[in-house]
């Protein structure tokens, strides 16, 4: 007897599924997409159950409108993992499914490869290149871009070309477009370019041999100092997986690491290597998703969003820079990709490797307890020497755009030797604030508890929290004075000042402001490797994973604020940042130096990092966390509330606290802190409050959250504020 009722998860902020009648001509399966009526709208949902009975009046149920898939989008193990992730992170199941689908599938497009529009030169177009284009700048730009080979329509548009210029060139017969669906490619008989292989040292060899002998699930921490050759270990592990006909998933924390990673993998392997990240358009993303699902793709490299891609035969998962907070989603389904990767490996019965030079304290605790295999790489690969670390006490010193005289002298010394210098300043823009010299008024964002950042290049002030911007003001809004001065230093100001101090050397700034265009970051990094620039200025984009063999001096300019932060993770983040940035120096045969400018050189954290390294810091930090009963020794859940009303947020969270404390599972192993205003009490025009639930056992916390959530949703103010639950939060601001 065929089922007559379908349960459907819809992308709405309601923690429930909805029932629909199944018309006689439709045969849905669990995990398939359907269009259904929902009030006056039509929504796309996922079938989660089929039955013959309903808890509602069948006569009042609406029928399914359209069935889009005849088979599940995800294999059974991945489907169950998505359900588990929705429950663990307390996210509505419909929103969770919506989060893990490519955008094209969310819009109802077929789950099959889409044609991609390509542009290329014709023979007459190639001839025209030699004759030039006069003042037709846009046409010349398009023609020269296509000179190197065909480009997709999306790639051309990202070069800021004019659609009218495309039309003109097409009418002249100089370029032509065509739509093409990439055909499946068989894996070659020879999978690896042996000439690209590097000789492993003893520690690398031990890691590869140990993991190659793993059968089924195993979680291993590859704890290797910067420059120790973790990527080579990944490559040789993947080689063994490919030889078995299986696929590999490699997660990286940010798009910026994807180009160099995929190029390294493509040089080594002759199988299809593809990527999934937010920089792709919907068609590219869907095609990559489908290639992986069908087994055409041998290696998938991607950011957090690639984790839930279905594989035909997954053989290994690698999480590079596992400590990075980018793996934690900060909205909607607030999952941690590293933790979900471990669980996926367990479900799929494959090994998972967590790689880092600065492992998170949670991962270290699991490795030290024996829950994870702990593999260490203590030496830099290829004979590179450890860096020499120094602190410059800047108390009382004159600073020019954040630079002290001792640092400038060191920079000149390294530059004159033909080397490159990297300056790290994690602050975009020209200046973090503008202040009135007469009365002290500071230009602040009207929507946030934050100051506007002055961007001189674009002639505007921006709030880096809510994104609002306004033209630069020239008069104090408190006293009317025109004596406005900039306060503090950003990467823009540092770049301008260095060009004045070192006119004989070329300076390159790499931050989010000047790497927005597709391919711009990759081009900048390639220019650095070719030594076209001698002085590099960067934010966190330059801190991770990049290999600059000619950088011999790295300087961190302003990290003192992290020493006294209210966030208990601040010291861990600073330690990781210091080691990661320091790791950009002396990665080849040239010895490297790391200089830290600080007003507090005597601080115990800085002393430990400079003289003893990350392991010593981690050991001390773990003891402090244990005494304070903080993660990884307890579990946290953060409740956030936002509203136009300060009082509504506070009252709602007081009701949440009362609900939790009245629950039978709430005992002496549970604590509630707050409610209290968030560290940034106002953001994007909303008042923000928070409350923290702390439990000694994760299992207790999960049972408490699962059984309390329904009651919280029924609280009087639950629909008057925007609220969220963040399990294992990484950001308490």
């Amino acid at each position: 007897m065929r089922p007559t009722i379908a349960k459907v998860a819809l992308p709405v902020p309601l923690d429930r599924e909805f029932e629909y009648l199944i018309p006689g001509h439709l045969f849905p399966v669990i995990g398939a997409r359907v269009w259904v009526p929902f009030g006056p709208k039509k929504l796309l949902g996922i079938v989660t159950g089929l039955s013959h009975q309903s808890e509602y009046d069948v006569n009042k149920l609406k029928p399914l409108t359209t069935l889009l898939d005849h088979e599940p989008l995800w294999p059974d193990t991945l489907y169950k993992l998505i359900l588990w992730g929705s429950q663990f992170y307390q996210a509505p199941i419909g929103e969770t499914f919506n989060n893990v689908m490519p955008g094209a599938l969310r819009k109802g497009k077929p789950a099959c490869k889409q044609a991609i529009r390509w542009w290329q030169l014709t023979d007459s177009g190639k001839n025209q290149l030699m004759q030039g284009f006069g003042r037709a700048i846009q046409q010349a730009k398009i023609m020269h871009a296509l000179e190197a080979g065909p480009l997709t329509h999306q790639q051309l548009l990202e070069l800021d070309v004019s659609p009218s210029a495309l039309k003109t060139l097409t009418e002249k017969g100089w370029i032509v477009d065509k739509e093409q669906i990439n055909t499946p490619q068989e894996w070659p008989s020879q999978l690896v370019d042996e000439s690209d292989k590097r000789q492993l040292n003893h520690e690398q060899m031990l890691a590869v041999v140990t993991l190659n002998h793993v059968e089924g699930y195993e979680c291993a921490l590859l704890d290797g100092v910067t420059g120790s050759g973790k990527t080579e270990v990944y490559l040789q592990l993947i080689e063994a997986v490919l030889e078995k006909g299986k696929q590999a998933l490699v997660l990286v924390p940010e798009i910026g690491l994807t180009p160099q990673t995929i190029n390294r993998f493509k040089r080594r392997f002759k199988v299809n290597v593809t990527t999934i990240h937010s920089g792709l358009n919907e068609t590219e993303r869907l095609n990559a998703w489908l290639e992986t699902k069908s087994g055409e793709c041998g290696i998938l490299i991607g950011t957090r969003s690639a984790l839930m891609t279905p594989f035909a035969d997954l053989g290994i998962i690698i999480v590079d820079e596992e400590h990075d907070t980018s793996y934690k989603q900060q909205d909607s389904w607030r999952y941690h990709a590293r933790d979900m990767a471990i669980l996926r490996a367990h479900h799929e019965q494959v090994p998972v490797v967590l790689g880092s030079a600065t492992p998170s304290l949670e991962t270290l605790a699991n490795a030290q307890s024996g829950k994870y295999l702990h593999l260490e790489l203590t030496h830099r690969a290829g004979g590179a020497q450890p860096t020499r670390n120094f602190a410059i006490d800047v108390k009382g010193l004159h600073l020019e755009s954040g630079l002290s005289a001792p640092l400038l002298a060191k920079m000149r010394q390294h530059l004159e030797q033909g080397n490159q210098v990297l300056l790290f300043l994690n602050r975009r823009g020209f200046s973090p604030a503008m202040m009135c010299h007469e009365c002290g008024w500071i230009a602040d964002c009207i929507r946030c508890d934050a100051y506007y950042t002055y961007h001189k290049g674009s002639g505007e002030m921006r709030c880096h929290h809510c994104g609002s911007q306004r033209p630069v003001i020239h008069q104090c809004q408190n006293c009317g004075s025109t004596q406005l001065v900039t306060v503090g230093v950003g990467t823009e100001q540092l770049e301008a000042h260095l060009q004045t101090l070192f006119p004989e050397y070329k300076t390159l700034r790499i931050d989010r402001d000047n790497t927005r265009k597709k391919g711009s970051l990759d081009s900048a990094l390639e220019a650095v490797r070719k030594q076209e620039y001698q002085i590099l200025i960067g934010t966190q984009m330059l801190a991770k994973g990049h290999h600059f063999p000619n950088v011999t001096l790295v300087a961190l300019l302003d990290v003192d604020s992290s020493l006294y932060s209210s966030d208990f993770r601040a010291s861990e983040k600073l330690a990781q940042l210091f080691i990661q940035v320091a790791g950009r120096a002396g990665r080849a045969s040239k010895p490297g130096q790391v200089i830290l400018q600080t007003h507090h050189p005597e601080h115990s954290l800085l002393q430990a990092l400079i003289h003893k390294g990350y392991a010593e810091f981690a050991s001390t930090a773990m003891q402090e966390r244990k005494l304070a009963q903080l993660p990884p020794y307890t579990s946290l859940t953060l409740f956030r509330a936002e509203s136009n009303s300060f009082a509504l947020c506070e009252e709602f969270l007081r009701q949440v606290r009362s609900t939790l404390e009245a629950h039978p599972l709430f005992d002496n192993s549970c604590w509630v802190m707050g409610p209290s205003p968030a560290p940034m009490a106002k953001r994007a025009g909303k008042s923000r409050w928070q409350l923290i639930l702390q439990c000694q056992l994760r299992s207790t916390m999960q049972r408490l959250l699962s059984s309390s959530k329904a009651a919280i949703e029924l609280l009087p103010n639950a629909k008057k504020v925007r609220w969220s639950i963040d399990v294992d939060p990484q950001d308490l601001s």
Side-chain angles (χ1 to χ4, degrees), residues 214-272:
V214 168
E215 294 290 338
Y217 166 76
E218 180 73 74
C219 182
L221 167 61
L222 187 62
D223 184 356
V225 299
T226 52
S228 59
K230 291 186 289 294
T231 304
E232 184 63 32
V233 173
Y234 301 157
L235 291 165
Q236 299 209 17
L237 290 173
I238 289 172
E239 179 183 343
V241 168
L242 295 175
E243 286 174 348
K244 297 175 185 175
K246 295 178 178 290
Q247 301 162 282
L249 169 61
V250 181
L251 295 181
V252 293
E254 294 180 2
I255 301 174
L257 293 178
T258 307
Q260 68 168 22
T261 305
I262 195 168
N263 289 337
R264 177 90 182 267
F265 277 69
K266 282 185 172 179
R267 284 198 306 270
R268 175 68 61 88
F269 300 111
K270 298 180 180 179
V271 299
N272 182 7

Side-chain angles (χ1 to χ4, degrees), residues 397-630:
L397 295 183
H398 174 65
L399 300 179
E400 294 184 66
S401 294
L403 301 167
S404 64
L407 174 57
L408 289 171
K410 275 288 184 186
M411 288 176 62
R412 188 166 292 281
Q413 177 188 335
H414 282 259
L415 290 169
E416 287 176 349
Q417 292 171 354
N419 299 319
Q420 292 171 306
V421 172
L422 168 61
L423 302 180
F424 175 83
L425 179 61
N426 204 28
R427 192 181 296 124
R428 293 183 291 127
F430 188 87
S431 172
M434 289 192 73
M435 183 175 71
C436 175
H437 190 56
E438 298 291 332
C439 71
W441 172 85
I442 301 179
D444 55 353
C445 176
I446 59 174
R447 306 178 70 226
C448 302
D449 286 338
Y451 300 128
Y452 276 119
T453 298
Y454 170 43
H455 287 257
K456 187 175 182 179
S458 57
E460 62 188 11
M461 299 190 301
R462 299 180 201 159
C463 175
H464 288 176
H465 299 280
C466 71
S468 64
Q469 55 194 52
R470 59 174 298 180
V472 175
I473 57 173
H474 300 285
Q475 190 172 17
C476 174
Q477 296 183 0
N478 181 52
C479 70
S481 168
T482 57
Q483 298 297 309
L484 297 181
V485 295
T486 59
V487 181
V489 180
T491 53
E492 224 180 281
Q493 182 181 157
L494 184 60
E495 178 187 28
H497 190 64
L498 285 168
Q499 288 170 346
T500 303
L501 288 175
F502 299 97
E504 67 273 36
Y505 300 107
K506 293 184 70 176
T507 301
L508 176 67
R509 171 171 58 93
I510 297 181
D511 57 29
R512 208 179 339 149
D513 291 332
N514 63 356
T515 56
R516 294 183 185 277
K517 288 185 181 179
K518 190 171 184 177
S520 58
L521 176 59
D522 201 20
S523 300
L525 295 175
E526 187 59 31
V528 172
R529 294 187 192 100
K530 291 179 179 177
Q531 288 191 277
E532 294 175 17
Y533 296 91
Q534 292 75 48
I535 302 174
L536 320 177
I537 302 167
T539 57
Q540 287 201 44
M541 294 179 72
L542 278 186
K544 310 158 190 171
H546 301 296
H547 180 67
F548 303 133
N550 294 298
V551 169
T552 56
L553 176 65
V554 167
L556 293 86
L557 300 189
D558 185 8
V559 295
D560 284 352
S561 59
S562 298
L563 296 174
Y564 304 101
S565 171
S566 59
D567 182 358
F568 73 90
R569 295 188 194 274
S571 61
E572 179 185 1
K573 292 174 182 175
L574 173 57
Q576 290 165 344
L577 182 64
F578 176 85
I579 298 297
Q580 293 289 330
V581 175
R584 300 316 107 211
R587 291 177 68 91
S589 57
K590 300 178 181 180
Q593 287 186 316
V594 179
I595 291 177
L596 176 69
Q597 286 194 161
T598 176
H599 289 84
H600 308 282
E602 74 290 342
H603 194 284
S604 58
L605 167 60
L606 299 184
Q607 286 294 314
L609 288 173
I610 291 171
H611 299 296
K612 297 180 181 178
Y614 186 77
E616 178 68 22
F617 156 77
S619 176
T620 303
M622 295 270 273
Q623 293 173 12
E624 292 174 353
R625 295 268 188 100
K626 193 169 187 177
L627 288 172
Q629 285 294 286
L630 289 169

Side-chain angles (χ1 to χ4, degrees), residues 37 329 341 585:
Q329 175 114 336

Side-chain angles (χ1 to χ4, degrees), residues 326-346:
S326 301
Y327 284 123
K328 183 73 159 84
Q329 175 114 336
Q330 297 298 336
D331 54 20
S332 186
W333 181 38
R334 293 174 170 80
Y335 70 102
H336 199 302
R338 177 200 62 212
D339 298 343
M340 289 295 288
I342 294 168
L343 199 67
R344 179 167 188 184
H346 189 270

Side-chain angles (χ1 to χ4, degrees), residues 128-139:
Q128 185 63 32
L129 275 169
M130 295 182 285
Q131 300 176 32
F133 302 92
R135 288 185 290 178
I137 297 173
Q138 281 283 317
Q139 293 180 31

Side-chain angles (χ1 to χ4, degrees), residues 365-413:
N366 282 321
Q368 292 171 3
S369 69
K371 188 175 179 181
Y372 299 167
L373 194 61
H374 195 177
L375 302 169
E376 294 184 89
L377 305 179
T378 58
H379 299 95
R380 284 191 157 194
Q385 298 300 309
T387 59
R388 289 180 294 149
N389 305 329
F390 306 93
I392 294 178
D393 186 353
V394 295
K395 288 195 296 288
L397 295 183
H398 174 65
L399 300 179
E400 294 184 66
S401 294
L403 301 167
S404 64
L407 174 57
L408 289 171
K410 275 288 184 186
M411 288 176 62
R412 188 166 292 281
Q413 177 188 335

Side-chain angles (χ1 to χ4, degrees), residues 633-637 666 669-671 693-698 700-702 704:
Y633 301 100
T634 57
S635 294
L636 299 183
T637 295
F666 191 92
S669 67
C670 304
W671 307 271
L693 169 66
Q694 186 173 12
C695 296
Q696 283 188 336
L697 297 176
R698 184 183 295 272
T700 302
M701 184 184 72
Q702 272 301 306
L704 182 57

